Amino acid sequence: MKSTNPETGKSYYTHYKVRAAYRSLRANLLFLFTRKKYNNIQIPNTTNTLDGGTFSPLKI
């Protein structure tokens, strides 16, 4: 929704964060349900294995 500043006559978005969230969802819609699309492939839902196991010898 756009509103107009009565003094300058310029328009601006009234609910900027709602518009930004909508644009983000619209732009990333293809990537939102990737895990559901590739259900037969084991995709880790976190990077916890990187933090706890693989690189632990490097953390001195």
Side-chain angles (χ1 to χ4, degrees):
M1 175 178 216
K2 281 191 171 185
S3 299
T4 305
N5 186 339
E7 295 175 3
T8 62
K10 292 185 179 182
S11 62
Y12 61 93
Y13 288 98
T14 307
H15 305 286
Y16 177 76
K17 290 185 179 183
V18 173
R19 182 174 183 269
Y22 173 74
R23 287 190 57 172
S24 176
L25 286 173
R26 190 176 63 190
N28 298 310
L29 188 61
L30 295 174
F31 307 110
L32 286 178
F33 301 102
T34 303
R35 185 168 172 84
K36 192 171 187 177
K37 183 178 179 181
Y38 298 106
N39 195 20
N40 57 348
I41 300 173
Q42 291 294 332
I43 301 172
N45 58 355
T46 65
T47 58
N48 195 20
T49 56
L50 295 176
D51 297 335
T54 307
F55 294 112
S56 58
L58 298 176
K59 296 179 181 177
I60 296 175

